[in-house]
Amino acid sequence: MSKNLNLLLQGPSTFSPSKISSLRSVFNSTNDCSIEELASYEYYSVDLNQDFFDQAKLFKLLNCRESKNLPNFFIGPRSGTISPWASKTSEIITNVGIQGVNRIEKYVGYFFDNHISVANLNLLSLFDRMTQEVFISPIDIPSIGSSPKRKPLIQIDITKGAKDSLIAANQDLGLALSRDEINYLDNFYSSTSRNPTDAELMMFAQANSEHCRHKIFNAAWIINSISQEESLFDLIKKTSKGDKSDLISAYKDNAAVISGAEVMTLNRNLKNYYSFSSEKN
């Protein structure tokens, strides 16, 4: 090969039959249709250079083959992002001695037995809008061999109704903002008389998320008209109090450490001699 080549390879089925059945049920309910057959397979977009030659080894590692049948649509990482799967798989490919693979990314291809246009279907039950997007055909899948161009900032026009514009942006960008957060942003940007950008809204959504702020777990709560002295997070932390002899550290740096059992471990010394020793984890 004199230049880079991009392959689309088909892997095994993505989900178990029971999971597919559950997805089909939700999908039919969401779209008010009656799709009887829904199937999904993994697809790998692989960017190769002229050093690649070990096709059989790569195919065996990925448990894949060259794609013959194309799905109705693909679900994959948002354009311009690299999934954790791709990072780890690239490392494994290098470690097993396969050369010439520049990049690899995984997508999920969906097949269904209905002639309804994909454009007319609600696909939200099949992917996470925060990290994934829909690609109708392989042509729509971004080339992983080229660096994506930086996208310009998008101004969210709030001059014709701030709240409606923020609700639409919340839906389009997949921000998962709550009603209170949208009201807060409405008041803030209306008072400053300027439009927010998509980057500002994305950063706010992440910094103010439940994952970062623990708003729900740290909130005051009431049971039978009686205000509780401890928050939900306080009650969770309470489980680490008292005589916990095996607990070394908890609720520090988002981690906990406990002492383990004493086990026999196999060790090798510098002279390549092996021996067992007792070790407490």
Side-chain angles (χ1 to χ4, degrees):
M1 289 177 286
S2 59
K3 61 180 181 179
N4 287 10
L5 174 68
N6 191 267
L7 295 179
L8 184 64
L9 307 175
Q10 182 176 335
S13 178
T14 312
F15 303 112
S16 66
S18 60
K19 178 64 175 178
I20 281 291
S21 176
S22 175
L23 287 174
R24 185 180 68 247
S25 176
V26 175
F27 185 81
N28 283 337
S29 176
T30 302
N31 290 280
D32 192 22
C33 61
S34 56
I35 291 175
E36 295 183 2
E37 294 293 333
L38 179 69
S40 68
Y41 292 87
E42 294 184 355
Y43 283 83
Y44 313 112
S45 180
V46 190
D47 181 60
L48 308 171
N49 61 40
Q50 61 269 22
D51 296 327
F52 178 75
F53 64 92
D54 207 341
Q55 176 174 298
K57 192 172 184 178
L58 178 65
F59 279 30
K60 184 178 181 180
L61 177 67
L62 296 174
N63 188 22
C64 69
R65 56 183 172 83
E66 290 193 31
S67 176
K68 294 182 180 179
N69 300 319
L70 293 177
N72 296 84
F73 59 91
F74 298 87
I75 299 293
R78 279 189 165 189
S79 302
T81 65
I82 300 175
S83 71
W85 180 94
S87 300
K88 189 62 180 179
T89 304
S90 297
E91 182 181 333
I92 292 172
I93 289 173
T94 301
N95 289 342
V96 300
I98 300 176
Q99 298 181 357
V101 178
N102 297 328
R103 281 268 323 270
I104 185 171
E105 189 56 86
K106 181 174 73 171
Y107 297 83
V108 177
Y110 284 91
F111 297 81
F112 57 85
D113 64 342
N114 197 301
H115 297 293
I116 301 175
S117 171
V118 175
N120 297 326
L121 292 172
N122 183 340
L123 305 177
L124 293 179
S125 62
L126 299 178
F127 72 104
D128 179 1
R129 291 177 296 150
M130 287 291 291
T131 60
Q132 298 174 310
E133 62 178 295
V134 179
F135 305 94
I136 303 300
S137 73
I139 299 176
D140 299 322
I141 294 177
S143 173
I144 60 175
S146 60
S147 300
K149 294 182 180 179
R150 180 176 179 178
K151 294 182 178 180
L153 291 175
I154 298 176
Q155 299 279 337
I156 310 300
D157 186 8
I158 63 172
T159 57
K160 298 179 181 180
K163 182 170 291 187
D164 290 341
S165 298
L166 289 169
I167 291 174
N170 184 40
Q171 177 79 11
D172 295 340
L173 299 175
L175 302 178
L177 295 173
S178 68
R179 184 188 306 169
D180 290 340
E181 289 168 335
I182 290 176
N183 289 337
Y184 172 84
L185 291 170
D186 176 17
N187 293 332
F188 175 79
Y189 285 106
S190 295
S191 65
T192 58
S193 300
R194 75 172 181 86
N195 292 329
T197 66
D198 56 345
E200 287 176 319
L201 296 183
M202 180 64 74
M203 290 301 295
F204 175 86
Q206 305 315 308
N208 206 49
S209 66
E210 178 65 22
H211 172 79
C212 294
R213 293 284 299 276
H214 301 302
K215 296 171 290 186
I216 296 174
F217 279 107
N218 279 318
W221 57 308
I222 298 171
I223 299 179
N224 295 331
S225 302
I226 301 176
S227 180
Q228 304 300 301
E229 295 182 1
E230 298 169 306
S231 68
L232 291 173
F233 208 16
D234 289 333
L235 293 175
I236 294 172
K237 290 181 178 181
K238 200 172 184 178
T239 61
S240 65
K241 307 300 182 183
D243 184 17
K244 309 287 183 180
S245 57
D246 293 331
L247 181 61
I248 298 174
S249 176
Y251 304 105
K252 296 179 181 178
D253 295 326
N254 288 324
V257 181
I258 61 174
S259 59
E262 189 170 305
V263 296
M264 298 298 293
T265 60
L266 182 63
N267 303 290
R268 185 184 69 175
N269 62 21
L270 296 177
K271 295 182 180 181
N272 284 333
Y273 287 108
Y274 290 85
S275 63
F276 284 97
S277 64
S278 177
E279 197 172 280
K280 188 170 185 179
N281 296 323

